[in-house]
Amino acid sequence: MQPVQIFDDQDAIVTDALAGHLTRDHGEDLALLDGFPHIKVVVRGDPEDDKVAVISGGGAGHEPSHVGWVADGLLKAAVCGDVFASPSVDAVLAGILAVTGDAGCLLVVKNYTGDRLNFGLAAERAKTLGVKVAMVVVSDDIALPAADQPRGLAGTVLVHKVAGYHAAKGADLDTVVARASEVAGAVRSMSLSLATCDLPGQPARSYDAQAELGLGIHGEPGVEKVTVEGAQQAAALLVEPLLERLAADGVSDDTRLAVLVNNTGSTNPMEMDILTRAVLGSALGERTGLVIGPAPVMTSLNMYGFSLSVLPLLPGVEDALSEPVTAKAWPDVSVPRQPTFRPLSEEVTAWQFSASSDAGREALVRDVCTALVEAESDLNALDAKVGDGDTGTTFAGAARALLKAADEPSLPMADPAQLSLAVGRVLASAMGGSSGVLLSILLTTTGTRLEQGDPLPDALRAGADAVIEYGGAQVGQRTMLDAVVPAIDALAGGGSMDDAAAAARRGADDTRHVESTTVGRSSYLASDALTGVVDPGASAVATIVEAAAAART
Amino acid sequence: MQPVQIFDDQDAIVTDALAGHLTRDHGEDLALLDGFPHIKVVVRGDPEDDKVAVISGGGAGHEPSHVGWVADGLLKAAVCGDVFASPSVDAVLAGILAVTGDAGCLLVVKNYTGDRLNFGLAAERAKTLGVKVAMVVVSDDIALPAADQPRGLAGTVLVHKVAGYHAAKGADLDTVVARASEVAGAVRSMSLSLATCDLPGQPARSYDAQAELGLGIHGEPGVEKVTVEGAQQAAALLVEPLLERLAADGVSDDTRLAVLVNNTGSTNPMEMDILTRAVLGSALGERTGLVIGPAPVMTSLNMYGFSLSVLPLLPGVEDALSEPVTAKAWPDVSVPRQPTFRPLSEEVTAWQFSASSDAGREALVRDVCTALVEAESDLNALDAKVGDGDTGTTFAGAARALLKAADEPSLPMADPAQLSLAVGRVLASAMGGSSGVLLSILLTTTGTRLEQGDPLPDALRAGADAVIEYGGAQVGQRTMLDAVVPAIDALAGGGSMDDAAAAARRGADDTRHVESTTVGRSSYLASDALTGVVDPGASAVATIVEAAAAART
């Protein structure tokens, strides 16, 4: 991990981040309290409304907690401290006074001494001013079963959601406190990390184990050193103790659960999806009625890990958790299900061509393929000078596949348009590298145009244009186009196949004078390596056109 | 950075992640195409509807691109390859055929050879099957001004959004292509990274510079090595070339811009907010009409960096970008503004007490404070055995502040309730550590109860209960409570202040027998360090009660 280092003033990280957060209109009427930067409080809405204000906060470094939850149906204020440091009593009191009306307020506090004391004293001071204040402490961590004071982890956001839901519905303070207390009393969490977080500007603490189990949210060591061997095993490291704890709590096996999958910071979205699948495939999955996340909800800066929180779906909890909110950071709340599958169109893999015979065209195909097989070592030698020496093998491999298709027989020899399409299909699967796809594009487009009635030169021109469009090269850049386009030009000008063959060879030969290019294999080489060497792809195309011309005569 | 390592099967990372993504109901009717895992395509909605299908995709590792955008108003299908590898032609064709009706489809492709060729050939094959297909290639990177084929970066998602908007409105394919092409032709992006991404299971490439400028999205080196000195300077490294490029493009200075602030993977949300503020404070900010993000939209696994994309707000673009979508990962689209401030309640900082005199009570306060000042070195010596040796100084400092307040005079000596509240206020600001907050809680709650008419023992009991609630300790755990509660018990039982003082001292002395505890300073020590040592906080409280009793007599 790299320490957090994109900031201008280490002492102002939180204030600058909050100011940054509020340089955009989130549609929530967000404001900072004056007293900023010492008092770092984000508030929303009309402070005079008649609804209970749910307020939370704590040290920064857990984004989107808590500023991300200042939104309708969640928090009315977030009180921020510095990174991993509790806000001051004055800051909490300022938050309370800014958003609390006659209905009173609920403080949702994670169980850390600093937060408990500072929010607690602020609550008592607010009471001296006649404000109705209640406080619910969240201590959802199960990592230390004997702890008198379990830490508050990601489960805290479920308390925000349920409390915010009831407050928004107009419930009175006693009701909001009761619902919040039920969730705080029932939610259980545990976390796992493969790399700790790095405090701004400070070098990282190294783990002396691959992973740690049972961490708080401030980068402190976990209670156990573990090894992560896979997603399912990692999920099990949390699922098993959580299920044991639910049993010890007296939660019956048929109680459905909400499961919050929290990204602690820098875990990759794919890993989070893989983990979520592992969790839902575990014994916990069978009991999961609602999945929340995966998402970063309670992070520890850039910690590489995840946590699981489980909450029995007590009466009313599912509705409260599922109610949509506008807060952008609020995670997906969804019902688990098996992935659904839609049938694949048969046309993707079907060989939609009917074999037919045409002696002349079959001879042409066979002669061209034979010429490519015979040119294999020469083309490889040419490519060895400017590439990885396999152009001959690539073209010869495709030629052998076409000869096999002619033998089966499976090629629609009687129909030039269909034949062009069919050869394109064979090349797409039998010819590796970009050249296989490019030739397939050329032949597929040509075939389509022939189907539409275009004369061969026009159809080929459309094919070459598709190669230019999709491949990104132009004539003169040491690619197959340097043989393809002159040959088409010759045909389009009324020339014979022999004229086309001569034009293709001339074009290929001229590539030896192209000393630099920005596309294709030659773009990786210096000009002195290129000078005097014919592009092997262009040479292969010339060989094709020459063999075709010879077969015609 | 730690390499991505939470997975079960390295070859199945993308398929397991997609399966995980679809184990939840996103409300978008998402499905995987059969042919999974070789064909990794996520589709939505009714394939037979009459709207243009916008389809995108590419290698995995850029989440939430592209699966996160399969949603109403964005994409109808995302075609995924392996990590940083283009999907196959068959996969793209399968995606096209699964979601394209008579209205046809638009493929939005980032400008990488593999994607261009595989999407291109799939498009040509789809045309042979009678499907209307168009393709728009996005090449928004400006890092290499001379590049024939600039790479596709985060600006691609703006093409998705505008194309998806018009498709959802029922526009025909030509219109969707025209709108998408306008955006693809006008959007410009550049990125900066402080640490590269780590491919699954592979050790990280180390930077030989602190940061790199002008990167693609596949972990390749940037075009320039740079040093990040701060957020404003980091923002300027991207803003300046972007503005130069817009000028070179002929965009006039008064054209308003959309600015996308993209997190490339593991950059902290606070850093992203600080960066966004820096961008909006730069010369680019003056021209910004719409901010998109900050959010991870086009990531490179866990790359620590960010990119900026700028798009002139062509007619209609602002509406298309601003239209809400249900896709959870879609970033905030907002109008920049200055943070708004709400006034701080004066009651937070106001000294709401009126000085008054009462000779007896003033003597009591002074005597207690003098006793604490005199006990400073003894209490420090006691604390040195079990803590950091500053308990005496902490209490003496508070005592000196109270003596100063008495001298001013500012304390409401004539009113016991107000005096308790006022001393609580002084302690909250003048007495450091947890003990200052705890004593302030005790006195604030006591004062509130006295105001309400409670007798002193009851008021003190409520204060002690608040200390227990917020502080989390119980009697018998080597804290101040071991002196406080016996003293209250004595008073509540009808005892005198002398009885209370004796009880407090007895309680303090008894803490020497408490050999272990789970709270407070002593929880960090082994029992042999505690045995025989009186808790210094409890001793200080006993000193206070003794001095108060002596002053009364």
Side-chain angles (χ1 to χ4, degrees):
Chain A
M1 286 291 166
Q2 296 284 325
V4 166
Q5 54 195 293
I6 306 177
F7 50 78
D8 289 312
D9 176 357
Q10 185 159 341
D11 293 330
I13 286 178
V14 179
T15 53
D16 284 353
L18 291 178
H21 194 67
L22 270 77
T23 55
R24 302 177 290 120
D25 180 1
H26 297 259
E28 295 283 355
D29 191 20
L30 297 188
L32 285 161
L33 285 192
D34 244 333
F36 191 75
H38 294 299
I39 288 178
K40 294 181 275 288
V41 179
V42 174
V43 300
R44 66 168 285 276
D46 176 2
E48 303 301 326
D49 80 13
D50 57 356
K51 290 175 179 169
V52 170
V54 183
I55 299 169
S56 191
H62 308 301
E63 290 67 26
S65 290
H66 299 85
V67 170
W69 315 137
V70 183
D72 195 17
L74 284 164
L75 306 182
K76 228 180 223 183
V79 184
C80 308
D82 283 321
V83 174
F84 293 173
S86 179
S88 69
V89 175
D90 280 358
V92 180
L93 181 59
I96 293 170
L97 297 179
V99 298
T100 306
D102 292 343
C105 70
L106 167 66
L107 309 182
V108 179
V109 177
K110 295 189 298 301
N111 195 19
Y112 296 94
T113 306
D115 285 342
R116 274 203 325 267
L117 295 182
N118 292 317
F119 280 81
L121 178 52
E124 295 305 315
R125 282 188 57 195
K127 287 177 191 169
T128 70
L129 299 167
V131 179
K132 278 165 64 181
V133 186
M135 181 162 142
V136 168
V137 176
V138 188
S139 51
D140 50 328
D141 183 28
I142 65 158
L144 292 158
D148 279 358
Q149 294 286 349
R151 298 169 288 202
L153 302 183
T156 307
V157 304
L158 304 183
V159 181
H160 298 157
K161 183 70 173 76
V162 172
Y165 168 83
H166 288 287
K169 295 277 184 206
D172 64 14
L173 183 58
D174 287 347
T175 304
V176 172
V177 170
R179 296 293 88 77
S181 299
E182 284 169 3
V183 175
V187 65
R188 304 285 177 243
S189 301
M190 194 157 164
S191 75
L192 184 150
S193 170
L194 284 86
T196 189
C197 54
D198 308 301
L199 285 169
Q202 290 185 19
R205 173 172 80 88
S206 285
Y207 276 23
D208 54 1
Q210 187 226 5
E212 295 185 355
L213 185 67
L215 305 99
I217 59 174
H218 301 111
E220 63 271 51
V223 299
E224 194 182 338
K225 291 170 184 171
V226 294
T227 301
V228 167
E229 290 155 8
Q232 293 182 33
Q233 174 259 359
L237 288 172
L238 301 185
V239 165
E240 287 168 17
L242 285 167
L243 287 177
E244 281 172 24
R245 177 57 184 265
L246 289 181
D249 287 345
V251 177
S252 82
D253 283 355
D254 53 7
T255 303
R256 289 164 66 249
L257 305 169
V259 175
L260 166 62
V261 188
N262 174 49
N263 182 343
T264 59
S266 60
T267 311
N268 188 266
M270 287 194 293
E271 293 176 287
M272 293 306 301
D273 274 334
I274 292 171
L275 275 167
T276 302
R277 182 166 179 245
V279 169
L280 293 176
S282 75
L284 179 57
E286 297 160 18
R287 298 172 58 183
T288 302
L290 217 52
V291 192
I292 302 167
V297 299
M298 184 69 73
T299 62
S300 300
L301 293 168
N302 57 356
M303 180 171 278
Y304 174 29
F306 70 106
S307 71
L308 294 182
S309 302
V310 295
L311 173 66
L313 286 170
L314 314 165
V317 167
E318 185 160 1
D319 286 346
L321 293 177
S322 301
E323 178 85 0
V325 286
T326 52
K328 195 72 208 174
W330 188 252
D332 256 343
V333 177
S334 53
V335 173
R337 63 168 194 177
Q338 290 300 311
T340 55
F341 287 87
R342 185 96 58 85
L344 196 67
S345 167
E346 288 179 6
E347 292 173 310
V348 173
T349 50
W351 180 254
Q352 72 259 41
F353 308 100
S354 304
S356 59
S357 59
D358 177 293
R361 230 170 260 123
E362 178 163 350
L364 186 149
V365 168
R366 289 183 180 279
D367 286 359
V368 165
C369 290
T370 303
L372 285 173
V373 170
E374 287 170 356
E376 179 170 357
S377 59
D378 285 352
L379 288 170
N380 278 346
L382 200 55
D383 189 36
K385 296 180 184 175
V386 295
D388 48 3
D390 67 354
T391 298
T393 302
T394 300
F395 276 84
R400 279 185 282 264
L402 277 175
L403 287 169
K404 182 163 167 282
D407 290 343
E408 287 180 351
S410 61
L411 295 176
M413 293 291 188
D415 181 333
Q418 287 290 307
L419 181 59
S420 184
L421 294 173
V423 173
R425 276 293 296 279
V426 173
L427 296 188
S429 54
M431 188 172 176
S434 299
S435 48
V437 182
L438 285 164
L439 278 179
S440 185
I441 288 172
L442 175 67
L443 291 165
T444 303
T445 305
T446 299
T448 303
R449 290 304 187 93
L450 290 174
E451 289 270 24
Q452 293 167 1
D454 281 14
L456 182 65
D458 292 0
L460 283 168
R461 176 80 71 198
D465 286 346
V467 169
I468 290 168
E469 178 192 348
Y470 297 127
Q474 302 289 332
V475 173
Q477 294 188 308
R478 293 187 64 95
T479 70
M480 295 190 293
L481 287 168
D482 292 339
V484 167
V485 172
I488 296 171
D489 288 345
L491 293 177
S496 66
M497 276 301 288
D498 284 333
D499 296 333
R505 180 57 66 191
R506 226 171 16 247
D509 284 349
D510 282 351
T511 60
R512 78 182 70 199
H513 305 305
V514 180
E515 292 183 0
S516 77
T517 179
T518 54
V519 297
R521 80 192 75 200
S522 300
S523 62
Y524 306 116
L525 293 181
S527 61
D528 55 353
L530 296 176
T531 307
V533 182
V534 169
D535 179 67
S539 182
V541 169
T543 299
I544 292 168
V545 187
E546 285 169 348
R552 285 269 173 166
T553 56
Chain B
M1 286 289 166
Q2 296 284 323
V4 167
Q5 53 194 295
I6 306 177
F7 51 78
D8 290 312
D9 176 357
Q10 186 160 340
D11 292 332
I13 286 177
V14 179
T15 53
D16 284 354
L18 291 178
H21 195 67
L22 270 76
T23 55
R24 303 177 291 120
D25 179 2
H26 297 260
E28 294 283 354
D29 192 19
L30 297 189
L32 285 160
L33 286 192
D34 244 334
F36 191 75
H38 294 300
I39 287 178
K40 295 182 274 286
V41 180
V42 174
V43 300
R44 65 167 285 278
D46 177 2
E48 303 301 328
D49 81 12
D50 57 356
K51 290 175 180 168
V52 170
V54 182
I55 298 170
S56 190
H62 308 301
E63 291 67 26
S65 289
H66 300 84
V67 170
W69 315 138
V70 184
D72 195 17
L74 283 164
L75 305 181
K76 228 182 222 180
V79 184
C80 308
D82 283 321
V83 174
F84 293 172
S86 180
S88 68
V89 174
D90 280 358
V92 180
L93 180 60
I96 293 170
L97 297 180
V99 298
T100 306
D102 291 343
C105 70
L106 167 65
L107 309 182
V108 179
V109 177
K110 294 188 298 302
N111 195 19
Y112 297 94
T113 305
D115 284 342
R116 273 203 326 268
L117 295 182
N118 291 316
F119 279 81
L121 179 52
E124 294 305 314
R125 283 189 56 194
K127 288 177 190 168
T128 71
L129 299 166
V131 179
K132 277 165 61 182
V133 187
M135 181 162 140
V136 168
V137 176
V138 187
S139 51
D140 49 329
D141 183 26
I142 65 157
L144 292 158
D148 278 0
Q149 294 287 348
R151 299 169 289 200
L153 302 182
T156 307
V157 304
L158 304 182
V159 181
H160 298 156
K161 184 69 173 74
V162 172
Y165 168 84
H166 288 287
K169 295 276 184 208
D172 64 15
L173 183 58
D174 286 347
T175 304
V176 173
V177 169
R179 296 292 87 77
S181 299
E182 283 168 2
V183 175
V187 65
R188 303 286 177 244
S189 301
M190 193 157 168
S191 75
L192 184 149
S193 170
L194 283 87
T196 189
C197 54
D198 308 300
L199 285 168
Q202 290 186 18
R205 172 172 80 88
S206 285
Y207 275 21
D208 55 1
Q210 187 225 4
E212 295 185 356
L213 185 67
L215 305 98
I217 58 174
H218 301 111
E220 63 272 51
V223 299
E224 193 181 336
K225 291 170 184 170
V226 294
T227 301
V228 166
E229 290 155 6
Q232 293 183 34
Q233 174 260 358
L237 287 171
L238 301 185
V239 165
E240 285 168 17
L242 285 166
L243 287 177
E244 280 171 24
R245 176 56 185 265
L246 290 181
D249 287 346
V251 177
S252 81
D253 282 355
D254 53 7
T255 302
R256 288 163 67 248
L257 305 169
V259 176
L260 165 62
V261 188
N262 173 49
N263 183 342
T264 59
S266 60
T267 311
N268 187 267
M270 286 193 294
E271 293 175 288
M272 293 306 299
D273 274 333
I274 293 171
L275 274 168
T276 303
R277 182 166 179 246
V279 169
L280 293 176
S282 75
L284 179 56
E286 297 160 18
R287 298 172 58 182
T288 302
L290 218 51
V291 190
I292 302 168
V297 299
M298 184 68 74
T299 63
S300 301
L301 294 167
N302 57 357
M303 180 172 279
Y304 174 29
F306 70 107
S307 71
L308 295 182
S309 301
V310 293
L311 173 66
L313 286 171
L314 314 165
V317 167
E318 185 160 0
D319 285 348
L321 293 176
S322 301
E323 179 86 0
V325 286
T326 53
K328 194 70 207 175
W330 188 254
D332 256 343
V333 177
S334 53
V335 173
R337 62 167 195 177
Q338 289 300 309
T340 55
F341 286 88
R342 183 96 58 86
L344 197 67
S345 167
E346 287 180 8
E347 293 173 311
V348 173
T349 50
W351 180 255
Q352 72 259 44
F353 309 100
S354 304
S356 58
S357 59
D358 178 294
R361 231 170 260 122
E362 178 163 348
L364 186 149
V365 168
R366 288 184 181 277
D367 286 0
V368 166
C369 291
T370 304
L372 285 173
V373 170
E374 287 169 356
E376 178 170 357
S377 58
D378 285 352
L379 288 170
N380 278 346
L382 200 56
D383 189 36
K385 297 181 183 174
V386 295
D388 49 4
D390 66 354
T391 298
T393 301
T394 300
F395 276 84
R400 280 186 281 264
L402 277 174
L403 288 170
K404 182 162 166 284
D407 290 343
E408 286 179 352
S410 61
L411 295 176
M413 293 292 188
D415 182 333
Q418 287 291 309
L419 180 60
S420 184
L421 294 172
V423 173
R425 278 292 297 280
V426 173
L427 296 188
S429 54
M431 189 172 176
S434 298
S435 48
V437 182
L438 285 164
L439 279 180
S440 185
I441 288 172
L442 175 68
L443 291 166
T444 303
T445 306
T446 300
T448 304
R449 290 305 187 94
L450 289 174
E451 289 269 25
Q452 293 167 359
D454 282 14
L456 181 65
D458 292 0
L460 283 168
R461 178 79 70 197
D465 286 347
V467 169
I468 289 168
E469 177 192 348
Y470 297 127
Q474 301 290 332
V475 173
Q477 293 188 308
R478 293 188 63 93
T479 71
M480 293 190 293
L481 287 167
D482 293 339
V484 167
V485 172
I488 296 170
D489 288 344
L491 292 177
S496 67
M497 276 301 290
D498 285 334
D499 296 332
R505 179 58 65 191
R506 228 172 14 246
D509 284 351
D510 282 352
T511 60
R512 78 181 70 199
H513 306 305
V514 180
E515 292 183 0
S516 77
T517 181
T518 54
V519 296
R521 80 191 76 200
S522 301
S523 62
Y524 306 114
L525 292 182
S527 61
D528 54 354
L530 296 176
T531 308
V533 182
V534 169
D535 179 67
S539 182
V541 169
T543 298
I544 292 169
V545 188
E546 286 169 347
R552 286 268 173 169
T553 55

